[in-house]
Amino acid sequence: MNDMTTTTTSTRTTVLDATGVTMRFGGLTAVRSVDLQVSSGEIVGLIGPNGAGKTTFFNCLTGLYVPTEGRVSYKGTVLPPKPHLVTQAGIARTFQNIRLFSNMTVLENVLVGRHTRTKEGLWSALLRGPGFKKAEAASHERAMELLEFIGLQHKADHLARNLPYGEQRKLEIARALASEPGLLLLDEPTAGMNPQETRVTEDLVFAIRDQGIAVLVIEHDMRFIFNLSDRVACLVQGEKLVEGTAEVVQGDERVIAAYLGTPFEGAPGAEEVAEVEAAEADAHSDTSTTGSEGDAK
């Protein structure tokens, strides 16, 4: 992995400010009054057992869901509830399940991520004038820089589907970086990886942080997340249970109880947990259907 130009800042500024974020599906509450701040050049981990509301919270941050209550701001500006506008503002994300364009090349996948940073319109593309050609060349150059950064420049012309699993994960991160974010959200970036691939991913996230980009990571690999993060927040059934350094969170008895499945005061029952998970799944299905209908139009 090669270094990109590093930007250093003497003081950290707040990049993400989520205040009182609540997400309800009907009468069920999947996320309840969660506050979370992330500063520039900081890595924050988000942990919690299955059904804790982590991905739902991510969806609220990125405009896939409109929070029932609360506010999400990026660099002091309240974010619009539209994913493409959130990306334009400066937040990029990856998903639990890889969402690459499998029949496109590695380079083409990264170029897709550049679309929010190009200003050339339809007519410019059709006429292929000097402005379009200049923008196209700049996008190509930047995409190749990102592929070199993740170590895949030699596979630029390979189809994405032919990459090994770990390299597909890295490519998805490169595509997210192509939008030039100030905040990168990673949803279980090491899921399905072997120990060597996990170490490579850890080094990659540190390198991204060293560019001054803030990173918020959901992960179930506790060793990975505690080694990686400056701070860790733990969600349990949609509520933030504790937030602090790795040592503070690891030593919290409520976190241990949540992961061991031991009930603690105020913990919901299994029936309530199942209802929330079902509601989240239904909402995700509705969102996907709406997106497909929009694409068809």
Side-chain angles (χ1 to χ4, degrees):
M1 184 173 60
N2 298 290
D3 290 335
M4 297 188 296
T5 302
T6 303
T7 302
T8 58
T9 55
S10 56
T11 58
R12 288 181 173 179
T13 58
T14 300
V15 174
L16 175 72
D17 187 5
T19 306
V21 173
T22 296
M23 186 68 209
R24 297 191 183 94
F25 301 102
L28 301 172
T29 302
V31 176
R32 187 191 304 273
S33 299
V34 174
D35 297 333
L36 187 70
Q37 287 75 43
V38 182
S39 298
S40 57
E42 185 179 32
I43 301 174
V44 177
L46 190 62
I47 66 170
N50 288 330
K54 302 182 298 296
T55 296
T56 297
F57 182 61
F58 255 34
N59 289 342
C60 291
L61 300 180
T62 56
L64 283 174
Y65 294 163
V66 180
T68 310
E69 297 173 10
R71 183 184 67 184
V72 180
S73 298
Y74 175 74
K75 294 185 176 180
T77 301
V78 176
L79 290 170
K82 298 288 185 182
H84 69 284
L85 296 178
V86 171
T87 303
Q88 285 181 0
I91 297 179
R93 72 170 292 180
T94 64
F95 294 84
Q96 283 178 292
N97 300 316
I98 294 174
R99 298 189 181 184
L100 295 173
F101 295 100
S102 59
N103 290 320
M104 293 171 65
T105 67
V106 168
L107 176 60
E108 288 168 342
N109 267 276
V110 179
L111 286 171
V112 167
R114 290 289 303 166
H115 77 280
T116 59
R117 295 294 173 249
T118 55
K119 298 179 180 179
E120 301 304 310
L122 174 62
W123 288 111
S124 177
L126 290 174
L127 297 174
R128 301 185 68 82
F132 174 81
K133 292 179 180 178
K134 183 178 180 181
E136 186 179 45
S139 290
H140 185 279
E141 181 180 359
R142 179 57 179 157
M144 288 304 299
E145 286 178 358
L146 288 168
L147 289 179
E148 184 176 1
F149 177 63
I150 65 169
L152 289 181
Q153 71 277 15
H154 60 294
K155 294 188 176 182
D157 295 327
H158 292 211
L159 291 179
R161 69 172 183 234
N162 293 332
L163 294 180
Y165 179 82
E167 291 184 351
Q168 289 189 24
R169 283 283 184 188
K170 289 202 294 184
L171 177 57
E172 191 173 41
I173 292 174
R175 186 178 63 185
L177 291 173
S179 67
E180 307 294 345
L183 172 64
L184 178 63
L185 277 57
L186 303 175
D187 196 346
E188 298 192 26
T190 67
M193 287 187 176
N194 61 41
Q196 182 178 358
E197 290 170 332
T198 298
R199 285 193 295 273
V200 169
T201 301
E202 184 176 321
D203 290 341
L204 177 58
V205 177
F206 280 134
I208 291 168
R209 186 272 313 276
D210 290 344
Q211 314 309 315
I213 299 171
V215 184
L216 178 59
V217 189
I218 291 176
E219 188 53 68
H220 284 292
D221 184 332
M222 293 298 98
R223 178 177 295 179
F224 172 80
I225 203 71
F226 287 132
N227 285 342
L228 188 74
S229 304
D230 298 304
R231 285 185 291 117
V232 178
C234 179
L235 293 187
V236 176
Q237 298 313 319
E239 296 187 50
K240 188 170 74 173
L241 196 63
V242 63
E243 178 181 348
T245 63
E247 292 76 14
V248 169
V249 174
Q250 283 178 297
D252 193 292
E253 293 182 359
R254 296 168 299 169
V255 175
I256 298 170
Y259 273 94
L260 293 176
T262 306
F264 54 89
E265 185 177 355
E271 184 176 338
E272 183 180 347
V273 172
E275 288 178 349
V276 170
E277 289 177 343
E280 288 179 316
D282 288 342
H284 179 71
S285 176
D286 290 344
T287 302
S288 299
T289 301
T290 302
S292 298
E293 291 174 351
D295 292 341
K297 294 175 183 177

